[in-house]
Each structure stands twice: as structure tokens, then as C-alpha cells.
Amino acid sequence: MPQHSTSGSPSSKPFGRLLLTGASGNLGRQLRGALAHWADHVRVSDIAALGEAAPHEELCPADLADRAAVTHMVEGVDAIVHLGGISIDAPFDDLIEANIRGTYNLYEAARKHSVKRVVFASSNHVTGFHPVTSVLDAEADHRPDSLYGVTKSFGESLSRYYYDRFGIETVCLRIGSSFEEPKNARMLVTFLSYGDFIELVRCSLFANRVGHAVVYGVSDNPASWWNNAKAGFLGYRPRDSSAPYAARFPATAPNADLADPAQLFQGGPFVLGEPMEKVAR
Amino acid sequence: MPQHSTSGSPSSKPFGRLLLTGASGNLGRQLRGALAHWADHVRVSDIAALGEAAPHEELCPADLADRAAVTHMVEGVDAIVHLGGISIDAPFDDLIEANIRGTYNLYEAARKHSVKRVVFASSNHVTGFHPVTSVLDAEADHRPDSLYGVTKSFGESLSRYYYDRFGIETVCLRIGSSFEEPKNARMLVTFLSYGDFIELVRCSLFANRVGHAVVYGVSDNPASWWNNAKAGFLGYRPRDSSAPYAARFPATAPNADLADPAQLFQGGPFVLGEPMEKVAR
Amino acid sequence: MPQHSTSGSPSSKPFGRLLLTGASGNLGRQLRGALAHWADHVRVSDIAALGEAAPHEELCPADLADRAAVTHMVEGVDAIVHLGGISIDAPFDDLIEANIRGTYNLYEAARKHSVKRVVFASSNHVTGFHPVTSVLDAEADHRPDSLYGVTKSFGESLSRYYYDRFGIETVCLRIGSSFEEPKNARMLVTFLSYGDFIELVRCSLFANRVGHAVVYGVSDNPASWWNNAKAGFLGYRPRDSSAPYAARFPATAPNADLADPAQLFQGGPFVLGEPMEKVAR
Amino acid sequence: MPQHSTSGSPSSKPFGRLLLTGASGNLGRQLRGALAHWADHVRVSDIAALGEAAPHEELCPADLADRAAVTHMVEGVDAIVHLGGISIDAPFDDLIEANIRGTYNLYEAARKHSVKRVVFASSNHVTGFHPVTSVLDAEADHRPDSLYGVTKSFGESLSRYYYDRFGIETVCLRIGSSFEEPKNARMLVTFLSYGDFIELVRCSLFANRVGHAVVYGVSDNPASWWNNAKAGFLGYRPRDSSAPYAARFPATAPNADLADPAQLFQGGPFVLGEPMEKVAR
Amino acid sequence: MPQHSTSGSPSSKPFGRLLLTGASGNLGRQLRGALAHWADHVRVSDIAALGEAAPHEELCPADLADRAAVTHMVEGVDAIVHLGGISIDAPFDDLIEANIRGTYNLYEAARKHSVKRVVFASSNHVTGFHPVTSVLDAEADHRPDSLYGVTKSFGESLSRYYYDRFGIETVCLRIGSSFEEPKNARMLVTFLSYGDFIELVRCSLFANRVGHAVVYGVSDNPASWWNNAKAGFLGYRPRDSSAPYAARFPATAPNADLADPAQLFQGGPFVLGEPMEKVAR
Amino acid sequence: MPQHSTSGSPSSKPFGRLLLTGASGNLGRQLRGALAHWADHVRVSDIAALGEAAPHEELCPADLADRAAVTHMVEGVDAIVHLGGISIDAPFDDLIEANIRGTYNLYEAARKHSVKRVVFASSNHVTGFHPVTSVLDAEADHRPDSLYGVTKSFGESLSRYYYDRFGIETVCLRIGSSFEEPKNARMLVTFLSYGDFIELVRCSLFANRVGHAVVYGVSDNPASWWNNAKAGFLGYRPRDSSAPYAARFPATAPNADLADPAQLFQGGPFVLGEPMEKVAR
């Protein structure tokens, strides 16, 4: 059961209680602090260690595949930022538990507890098999580049169902590459600064109505594969860019190997992965 | 009959004579001064009191529903900025006179006097029944949110006819919310500063060819429901934004009432209006 | 007040009472008989003489511009086939009364009496300024070819409003040329046989949900400017064709006058009309 | 392990060996006989009883969730018609096993055994939350109407991945309502006759290249929500229609309850379902 | 100089004089007879032997690359069916003369002699590098599959220019495979019967306005890569089909070589060609 | 034969050798210096005098219509910037040699020497017959405004073929008006500063994959007819604008001659040109 902080004091923050799943991951750690500005209480959850709770925080360790645990985790929250699950390619049996059963558990819990807004960490890998010479928007067809991408595509479909059927709004963030800095030439295109990531979550939580929205999580980089014009209602305006890092990956003559899928498709090296066998299941 | 100023002196201003209808309204008052820079003579008209005439001005009080008056009003002008008519919801019989018969009278007069350009104050309420989670452009289908919006839709259709049939060009300005400052949270999306309004009229008057154009009148606000890319030939680049006023309408958790039409549709409270009976017709 | 027939007997017909406006016009006369198969009671209305009432009929002479008369006319009906109004170009003041005020009166009456379905006789002249080398569908932009066409465009916008705001469903029939037989070469493209017209009304009345639909009223002619694929849910399948009449208008070498608007635009001779002054208003 | 028939004789049939999953279901039983005309050997599989094997058949009972069983099942086949899995709404844990893990197992087996073509029984319920007043094609966005529909959406995404990554072609059949005869009014729109179903599978198996195709499985019914023009390369031309059954579901005045989701959305009663708890898991 | 027939007699045929280029080719021979029904005089031209002139015919042997000859050839004609030029892949220097200089010569001659309609034999090879799993319409982007296809793309661009600049109308026929009968499996998709070819030319000549139109020349074959809905104004309704020939090319299991471009792209074997050196230039 | 510089020294520049055709033209002179930063060796070619070779340069005078010369010119280069050919309207026989045979020669040479990237100077005149009230993107249909524009359309089609067939990537730059400064009012819309031109070539050379791309070459001018959103993957961000020059072409009331094609179409005065006879061929 979630460890509620005892807070009876009056509050001027917009949300009473927000839930952050995947709080111990790369992006969860970035966001955890920011949520304090938006909610009186922040419930943080992960299957990994969560560290110390800040005064406004409730620690809620949980396995997303555990339905009962997830149901309890969601109780009493106003909105959810769902970063939890597996965020790289993995054996499909693992992906089923974390990203398929886990996401289902989360939405079922939201339905039972009347939570009306979810910010869902989807991924650019939902559309990673589009060529790098296309510019996509929210209506691009799903072409996942990996089993991981397939499970994120599933999450988007599932959340669409919960919106159409039960009115639970979701913003699907097709996150590019969110790190401290771009790590390679591809990330000059896909870079999402931590600051812009936080801003995008803020817009997704506070926009008055979002319906079922899809938006690419990307900074204002010079080159882009993605166009967010159709999500203009969110008010997301990136402030950062990969441009300052361009010199680290100096321009070269284009790779002559035109048949290299990792160069041809937006998913980059993901498109070369293969389904993995789970070891010692 | 219009009170012509006597001007035989040479002039370097681009237009000889511009007509401004609705000159005494909120936006008319803003624009009245600016027109002096673009035309030697500015004829100003309204059904309400017009105040004192500046030296370059011709006062032309008129009821738009009075065909003869409108015919005279339009004589000798080079272009028209048509802000006149009723700009809020009203009994339909009134809307007919001001916005339907009145707009017809204006275009007929333009045809008779060979006026070739009209800037027509349409309204975002022509498309106000689109959801707030859509981003519209000039080709969005008409979904008026009120009888007022229906009459503006009529004006757009009528002006299309006068362009296709008689070559009279029109720019339809689907004006958002043009006030000194945004007055509520919705206007953070729909705000059009007075400065941007004047700039949009300037672009609409001076663009060499406009055909029959539709453009949303909106500043460069953070969140937007409208995309003017298809009107790029007008050269309108908003300089203002609602961002400085955002703090006045602090973010709150999204309204939980998902069934509230005033929150779901772009028209806001307009979508809740009902046809009014005219009192004592 | 409508002259209700006294019918207390049980019935197996789908509708209790249908209202047909414009019952004395060309198409109204065609439809009047067919309605008997679909409704126990058929109320027929026109400003012109209505002839004798059949046993199942209620005669309801009325001027559409007379709000009180229209309100009474609509009382107690289950659905409306609205063919009334002016169906050719006419002085705009006349069009205002019949097609603008009249249509408003009809929808207001429908709202007050909770009528939930209207079949509205719109016209191909709503899009008559599209070139004859285009194939249009329900989403084509309005380019009326006459003031008459502008008022039908108004009717489509108005009915959209009544659907979005009050849930009154409308099928807008953009009728081509519905006569006994095609009368000229243009009608080989625009011909709608009486049989197909009746079938289209039948589909529009009986489809379980129509929302706000737009469909071109045209038979299965060899050449076509219109594509009804987006209205496939109506189930309208034309059975007739202009082909048997083709020999009456034998093929000639194309008219060499490429500048003739009546040949260039779908509206044909309508595009040459000019606004008319009303005589002796 | 599959029970191979011993066939060393020469053959003129196009396929050496076809696999049919879900062979004991409603559609599997229809198709089972037809496959004999197209392949020397037909391997039939189901979790339910398979009955007697015909001389050309190999019986291969299997649970799709059993990876090893599925791997063996697929060995040696030239193409797969995958009708297996759960075809109605069900507890999500069951859907995971049959439709998610099971479909993954099937495609992994196809990859391992170099099978290059799958005909996948998807469902119209992938898009069932589109309104009945829309006409959809293969590019409509996924709006599943049930958890069942979500798992079919998953299958389409997964198969897209196996095509983009491994070149395994799939035709996704979004099957309407395939029964002996239409059973209710909705099926007058969604009816797919058994004959047309078999023809659609034939086209899907024999088209020289299909890439990753999506096609609605529907007969040539009078009213339609679906347009297969983009799948014209398959050569599917339905020969049957629901028209002969129309009289069984006589037309009525439209249901006045505009708020009934089962009437508003293509999925019909599916859209009213709710996630089920699995009993005694 | 053309050998005019001496015809002073009155005529009831729609055209006075038609010009047919490429009259000695495969399709020219089919069409030559049909033209007699549409014109009093038929001028036939080719670089190859033209045979005997029928009474209504004028023989006009000419090399399309010879500007003066082409200018004379076009004098006095009402419309042109331009089948001339090279219709297979060839050395580019040859294609320049026949298909680029030759087509320019033809349009310049049409301009000088005020000919207002050309029916231009373009080719499906203008779009032959689209995959066989796409269905194209007139707006598909040009992806020629050969240098031959590039020169037909040139002809379409050139004719667009002559329409926009000089008002000369052209129908570009993207002819599939027009032979007595389909010769291979690909032609089951691309077959255009001689009868349908003649009908398509008839529609193209007699439609009152065609602007600059693009239409695929194909019969009503079961499978199709092309959709002519946007050319519905031409009134072309194919009457033939490749279906009766299907049995000659019996269905086989799909070719397993997914990398074979001749199977992947609509152009078939054309896509394997390579630019040819001209021998003994 | 190209005059190779002897360079065996190690290099840090991205390209070994770049070829610039049209090096003596207006834009060639601008680019010539910039290429030194991107390549160890720069081969410069023109039919006109090339001036002195810089140390890193190889002078290669050549007539593009001379196949052998072009073949030699291309030997050993890594990429080509093809500005050569005729860049204004000219007699078609001249355009054939320079822009049709010449471009073919260039691509054939690239194929033979395995060059994998070409930056091709196309022109806005490929689409110059679109009206000035349209905003075009890379998918706009070709509507050339001159024979010159037709030959650039040819170049785009040809390069598409070499990409689809042989994998040679091309960026087609539809260059606006690239001069030191805008020279007239039209150029306030079409201006491409030299700096932005060089940046656009840089992006086109260094983007890792470009496939067959089309991008308008235009600075960030206030008014625009072109939208490059679909080429966002190139990373081109113009830094200049025509705005500083606007005062030189002061706004005037719109030209009243609505029938003037040079004002109606994007091509401006080009649309008034006529095919020229070559003098003394």
C-alpha cells in the first residue's frame, strides 16, 4: 500500500497528488524534483530502489505486473506520469510483463480510481522504421523498429481505448533521446534536453483538455524528423537545441553504405536488433 | 451621402481612399488611426456615433441593412476593411439585417463601384465547434458555434462567390480574442494583440494578390488551435504573445468535468448559447 | 395550424408522421407519393397550392418566412424532408426570406419540437464554381456559383450548427439535375432520376445515424464530377443513368471557347448570373 | 509435433504446405476445405478438437501460448493463415496468452522457419470506436473498441515489425461479421459471406507481393463503413451482398437515443463492454 | 507537306480533321479505323510505312524530330492523338529526338496552328518505381522506371506548360499493357484491351473540357494498381477485363525472392533496364 | 581530362574531392570559395572561363553536352554540386543540349564512377504556374512556367530515376532568387541570400541520407509561397531575410489588373515568356 505522507495543510499547488512511475530511471530522476512544484504530494514508484522520500513524497515500490500492487499505487492520485516499464529492447516475455500487462494494470487502476489524465512515456521507436528522409507527425502510421517499439505501440492503442471508452485522457510522449547531452550524431536529430522534457510533461499535465494526444518529445534541433504542429494545443515550445553539441560530431561525407538499415531508418541501431530469448526464465 | 474631404493635393500614400466599417467598435477604434498612414482619405462608418473627424477622415454614419446608404458609402473607395455588423450572438432577425443583408449590401456596392479588395472581419466562431484538441487551418470545415458564427460562415461563402464571379478579392480574418490583454485562460490561446491585429490588416491590404484567403487572427501565443501556414503569402508574422499574461491565469489541474462543452470546443462559452428571441420586434 | 388527419389505428410503418416542405415543387410532387410507404401520416406543405389531400395526408400551406406558421407546421412530426424555399436564382431579398429566414425557422421549430432528423435539399450549386475537370467529394470547399448557391451554403452551415449544438441530424442532398430526363449535355453529368432521388431520400431517412452528412444527389452517370464514397454509410446506390439519353445530345468537338465560364465550371449557366434587383419590393 | 502426411507424389498445387490455425473455429471450419485446392498438404491446428484428418491434412493440436509447440507447428510450411486466438472480448490475462504471446510465438516461428507470408485474422474492432458516419480505409487510425480490439491492433503492429525487419509479408484482414447470414441490422453493413471470406484469403495468399497490407473483410453490402480502394492490388472483388437479407431487419425510424454508443460507433455492442476480471486465475 | 484529301462535302462528323501520330504502331493501327467515325478527315503520320490511305485519310509520313515537317503535319487539324515516338527503352540520344524534341515540335506546331486538344500517349512507366502494393492516382509523384519513362514524364510536364501558358488541353493516357490479350501474369493487372483503349481515346477527345488531365489506361481488371476516380469527368468506363485470361497464368505460391525489383515495382522488367549506349551514333 | 591536383597529404576535410559545375555562374562564384572548407580538392567546371585555380582546385572546362568530357570530369569525385546548364529561358534546342543531354551525361557519369550524391540546382520555375496565393511544399505538382522550367522538371524526374534505380541520392534545390540583394518586389518573397544558399548546399552535402529530396531555396522572408517542413531532415535553417530590403520596394495599393499573369502566378515574368526560335542554328 502506498505510504501516504501526512499532509493536512492548505495548499496552493494545482494538483493534490501526482503519481510518477519509473521514478528511479534516467528520466524519472529528472522529473521527480519538478513534480514538487505542481503537486502537494508526489507518489513515486519503481521496481528499483527509490532512495529517500522528500517531505512531500510517498514512496511506493511496485512491480507493474502486480495488479494488486498497481491498484493500490494509483489510489487517490489526480494524474499519472507513467515512465515505468522497460525502455530498451528485451526478451518479449519480459516486455509482456512490464509494458503490456503493466500498462494494462495501470489503466485499469486509473479507471477504478477515476484518474482522468495520464502522461505516457511512449517512444520514437513506435515509428522507427520510417526512413530518415521522412518528416512524421502524430498521424504517421506505426512502424515499430523493435519488439520494445511494438509494446509502446500497444500502449498507445490501449490508452486510445481507455480514452474512447472511459474518457481517461492521455498524452503519448514519443520521446527521442533524452540525456544530459547528445551522445552521437543521430542524437543531434533526436535530442530532448532534460529541461525540455520537463516542460513537455508540464504542458501535458496542465493543458485543459488533451483528449488522446501524440507528441514527439524532441528539442528544437536544427534537423528534425518530426513535426509537432498537430499538437500545438499543448503549448509545448522547446527552448533547447542540439546545436551547441554539433561540433562534437563533426560532419563527414555521407556514409557510402546505402544499404545500412541503421542509417536508413529513424530508429537507428534499434532496427538491427533481433528478438531475444529470455535466459533462464 | 459620404462627406468627402476636399483633397486635391498630391499624395505619397498607397491608397487614395479606404473605407472602414464598424469604426466605432472595439477593433474599429484601434484601426482608425492606423489607416491614416496608408491612405490619403479614410472614410469611417458605423451605426453608432463616430466622434470627430480627423482632417483626413470622412464620416459616413450608416446602417448596413440600408442598401442605398451602403451603396453611397462605398462610392469612390479603393478598398474596404469591413468590421461592421454584429459581433456577438444576437437574435437571428437582427443578425440577418446586420450580418447577412448588410454584408450582401456591402459586396453589391463594391461590385457596382469596382472596389477590388475587402478585408472581412470573420471570426474564430466559424469553426468554434471543433474540439480544443484539434489544430485547424484555412481548410478546416465550417463548424460554427453560434448563430453569430453561422452568419460569419455566410459572409465567407458570400465573399467567395464575389471573388469567383466578379474578381473581388477578400481576406477573411478569423479573429480570435482581440483586446488590450487576455481576460481569461481561454484567451491565452486565442489572444490577438491590437498591434498584431493592425499588422494583419496591413498585410491583407497590401499583399499584391490575395484571391479569397482565410487566415486566423491570432498572436504568437504559446498554445495554439490554429495554423496559418497556408496563408504564408500574406506575410503576417505576429510579434506579440499571450505569454506575459500567463501568470494571471495560473495553471490548475485540468477541469474534471469532461462533459462541459465550453471546455471541449474551441468556441468556449459561445457553444452554450441558444438562439434568442428578439424582444419586441 | 396543421390539419392533422385523425388516425388512431395501429400502424406498421416506420414513421408516425413525416413533414414534406416544398411539396408542390418539381421534386416535392415526385416524393409526395413515396412518403406514404414510410409514414402513417404525411404532412405536406408549400406556399403554392397543394391540391387534394390523400387520406394519409395533412395539408399545411405555409410561408417559410412566417415563424409562427413554421413552428406549428413542425409540431408532432418525426422527421422532415425540407425541399421548400427558392430553388433558382432570385433577388437576394427574396432568398433571405425563403432560404435564410425560412431555413432558420424550420430548424428552430425542429429544436422546439424535438425533431431529430432533417433531409435538406441543398444543391450542387454550393460547389458550382469548381471546374468541370475536378471530382469533388463531401469535403470540397464551398464555392457557390450564385446567390442561390450562397443561401444553400448557408443552409448547410446552419444545419451543422444545429447538429453540433442540439443533436439534430441532417443529410444535405447536393442535388444535381433532377428531372424526368436530361435536358441538355450538362445534365448527362448531373442527372438524378426521380427514382434515384426517392431512393436517396429513403436512405437519408432510414440510416440509423447520419450525423451531419453531405451527399451529392446524382445517378450513376457515365461521367461524374462527384464522388460519394465518404457517404457510403448511407447505403445509397443509384440504379439509373443518363447513358440512355446520351444520343439526344450527340458528341461534338469540344467547344473552342476556352474562356466561357459556363463551360469551365460545374455550375454551368448559373455562373453567368448576376445579382438581381427585386422589382417593386 | 506435427503429424506430417507422407507425400512424395508430384503435385500441381501452388503451395506445398499451408498452415491453418484456429481451424476448429467458425471461420476455420469454412476455410479448411478450401485450402485443399491450394496446397498439397494442409496442416490444421487448434486448441480445440480438430476432428478427423482428411488425407491431405496434418492435425496439429497446439496452444498458441506454448512457444515450443508453435515452433514445431510452423516447421515446413510455406504460408500461414492465422485465425487462431480469442475472437471475442475476454479477460485481458487470457487475451495476453492467446493473442499477444500467441501471435508473437507464431511470428517468431515463422522467422525461424523462413515462412514468408501470413494471412492474419485481424478485426474491424481495431477501428470500432470510429463513428458509424465515417468511411474508413486502411490508413484509418487505430481506435479499438475493446481489449480484444486492442490485442488485434497489437497483432497488426507486430506483423508490421516482422515485415519491416524480416521481410515476412502479412495481409491483415479486418474481418467484419462473417456468418452464414446477417443476424441483425448492424450486420447488413458488416456482413462478410463465407464465400467472400474464402475468396479474400485466396487473394491474400496468391497475390505476388502484399508487403504489409490491411484490408477490410466485407461483402459488397449496400451500406458500408469501409473502403478497400487502397488494397486494390489484392484483386479482391466481393461477390455477395447483405441485400437479400435486408427484409429480415426492416427499416425503422432511426433510434432516437443519440447518446447510445452502440449505435454511434462502428463497433456496435463491443463498445459497451468493460474489462473483465478473470475468474479463478 | 500533308496530303490533304479534297473534301468539300457537308459532314455530320464531330471533327473536321484529326491527326494521328504513330499510326503504324501497335496502338496506332487499332485506332486508325475508329477515327473515321469521329472525323471527316483523318491525317495519319508515322516515320514507318503507312500503307494505303483510305478515302478519308491523308498520309503524312514524318520524323517527329523534324520541326518543319511536324509544323506542316499539324496544319489544319482540330485535335491530335499523339501516339508517336519511341515506346520502349532505347538509347537516350534516340529518346531525345523522338520523345523530347519530337514532343516539343508537336506542341509548338499545335500552338502555331491553334490546335486546342491533344491526347498524349504517356505510359504507366512514368510511375513504374512505385511498389506493386500501392494504388496510385493521377496525383502520384513521378517515379519513372526507365529513361523511356523519364521522357514520358517530360511529355507530361511539357503538356502541362502548354496548357497553363497557351490553353492547349491535354489528356495524358498512362497506358498499361495494350495488346490483343495479356501475355503474362503482370498484364493481368495492367491489361488495356484494344476496345477500352479506343473508348478512352474517344472520351478524351469528346469531353467538353479536360484541362490537363492524367488517367491510367487500364481495363476493369480484378487486381489494380491504379485508381481513376479523379478523372471521373472523362466518363471513361472500361468494359473489358483480364479476368477471362487469368487461367492462362495460373496462380502460384508467391515468388520467394523478395529482393527481385521486377516483382516489387509496378514497372516490372522495365526497372531492371540500364541506360543503353547508342551503337554507331 | 580533369587537371588533378597532386595531393597525397593527409587531410581532415570531410570530402576528398567535390565537383562544382557551373562554377563561373552567379551562384557558382559564390559557392566556389566555400567548397574549400569541405573538401581537399575542388574540381570546378564551366563552359565559360574559370579564372585562376586556387591551390586546392582543379579546373575542368567542359561542355555538359559533351558526353566524353563529362565522363572524365566526374571521375574520382565524391559528390557533385550541379549548377551547370542554362538558367534562364532559351531556345529549346539549346536547353536540350545543356539541361537535358547535359544532365543525363552528368548522371550517367556519376553512375559509371559510383558517385553517390548530387546537389542539383533545380528552380522555383518548376512550379511557377501555381498562383501566388498558394503555399507549396515538396509534393506540389510540377507546373513549369517556361521551357526552362520544363527542363528543370525533367532534371528532377531524371534524378528520381537514378535514385530509384541506382541509389544515387539527389537534393533538388528549387532555388528562388539568389542575388546580393532583392531587386524587385517579387524578390521580397523569393529572395535567397548567398549565405543561405551556401548553407543549403552544405546541409545537402552533409546530411547523412537524403534519398531524393526536394527543397525550396529561400531565406526566411516575411511572406512565403513555399513551406520546407517536409525537408526538415536536411537541417536547413535560413538565417537571412528580405525584410531589411522591404523599404526599397514600398508597399502600394494592389495592382488592379487582376488578369496580369505575371502578378497572378509565382513565376512572375517568366510566365509571359514564349518559346524562342534559335537564331542561326
Side-chain angles (χ1 to χ4, degrees), chain D residues 49-62:
Chain D
L50 285 159
E52 291 291 305
H56 66 284
E57 286 185 335
E58 304 161 1
L59 303 189
C60 186

Side-chain angles (χ1 to χ4, degrees), chain C residues 132-135 189 219-225 227 241 250-260 262-265, chain E residues 14-15 78 116-117 163 166-169 202 204-212 229-237:
Chain C
V132 296
T133 48
S134 291
V135 175
V189 183
S219 287
D220 184 30
N221 307 326
S224 179
W225 299 326
N227 183 333
S241 167
T252 58
N255 186 328
D257 181 5
L258 286 165
D260 178 5
Q263 305 292 329
L264 282 172
F265 298 106
Chain E
F15 286 93
D78 298 311
K116 287 302 187 191
R117 176 76 57 95
Y163 174 63
F166 303 110
I168 301 174
E169 295 190 305
R202 191 190 65 79
S204 301
L205 281 172
F206 286 99
N208 194 36
R209 284 290 176 280
V210 298
H212 183 264
K230 286 177 182 153
F233 57 88
L234 289 177
Y236 169 62
R237 298 271 188 118

Side-chain angles (χ1 to χ4, degrees), chain A residues 22-25 29 32 44-51 59-63:
Chain A
S24 304
R29 292 193 307 271
R32 189 167 167 178
V44 292
S45 175
D46 209 303
I47 198 170
L50 285 160
L59 303 189
C60 185
D63 180 347

